[in-house]
Amino acid sequence: MNHLYMERHDNKDNMHRFYQMFVTPGLFDDWSLIKEWGRVGSPGTVRKEWFDTQEEAIVAGKKLSAAKCKKG
């Protein structure tokens, strides 16, 4: 999992949301999981989570994506 982009649309409730995340290397031999979410068509909120290895970042991303898919 290097990049994941998801959208959720519900016209009845006027809800049009996106969620994306990706894993990137840092400058000091570390890795980050970057998460962005918000309303489709507008700038989103961005958060970074740092990890020592790429595998740790990927596992955290997969866990989070599974939770998002389960939620809907």
Side-chain angles (χ1 to χ4, degrees), residues 7-17 39-40:
E7 285 189 6
R8 181 176 180 197
H9 299 276
D10 187 354
N11 291 328
K12 181 182 70 153
D13 294 330
N14 192 27
M15 180 176 52
H16 306 283
R17 304 278 183 209
R39 186 168 175 85
V40 173

Side-chain angles (χ1 to χ4, degrees), residues 3-31:
H3 185 259
L4 176 69
Y5 181 84
M6 299 182 284
E7 285 189 6
R8 181 176 180 197
H9 299 276
D10 187 354
N11 291 328
K12 181 182 70 153
D13 294 330
N14 192 27
M15 180 176 52
H16 306 283
R17 304 278 183 209
F18 75 93
Y19 193 91
Q20 73 174 339
M21 66 179 108
F22 48 96
V23 175
T24 60
L27 295 175
F28 305 107
D29 293 328
D30 53 358
W31 290 83

Side-chain angles (χ1 to χ4, degrees), residues 38-50:
R39 186 168 175 85
V40 173
S42 64
T45 302
V46 178
R47 296 287 185 263
K48 293 182 183 178
E49 204 173 327
W50 297 97

Side-chain angles (χ1 to χ4, degrees), residues 29-66:
D29 293 328
D30 53 358
W31 290 83
S32 64
L33 174 63
I34 300 174
K35 303 170 280 189
E36 182 179 6
W37 65 91
R39 186 168 175 85
V40 173
S42 64
T45 302
V46 178
R47 296 287 185 263
K48 293 182 183 178
E49 204 173 327
W50 297 97
F51 297 91
D52 291 331
T53 65
Q54 181 180 14
E55 292 77 24
E56 289 175 353
I58 290 173
V59 167
K62 286 183 180 180
K63 184 177 177 183
L64 186 59
S65 67

